[in-house]
Amino acid sequence: MRLTTNIASVPGVGPRNLEAFRRLGIRCVADLVVHLPLRYELELAEQSVDGAQAAITGDAEVVVAVRGEIATVRAIPARTRRVEATL
């Protein structure tokens, strides 16, 4: 396979992937090699809140999913609607 090989000729690239690649401007293998993601997501195993805090380094923007039981909920009057929940 060469860098000039059409992306449609790459094994595993079907019609659905081909259309997605075309929308991104990826036409050949070379385009795919130099395509860099805007961001990536690191999925870690379920852990405690303390463990999650330890995994966060620097000033990284982080999205955290929390599983728990809601103890209380209250609406806070403000310009923008805000809800506070205690887990």
Side-chain angles (χ1 to χ4, degrees), residues 9-61:
S9 302
V10 175
V13 176
R16 181 185 278 168
N17 291 339
L18 184 60
E19 182 57 35
F21 285 139
R22 293 244 162 97
R23 282 194 306 269
L24 292 170
I26 298 171
R27 306 259 187 265
C28 63
V29 173
D31 293 337
L32 184 60
V33 170
V34 297
H35 177 75
L36 299 174
L38 296 175
R39 64 184 170 87
Y40 68 94
E41 296 179 11
L42 176 63
E43 292 188 25
L44 301 173
E46 193 172 291
Q47 55 188 316
S48 68
V49 173
D50 290 336
Q53 284 180 327
I56 299 169
T57 58
D59 295 333
E61 186 174 312

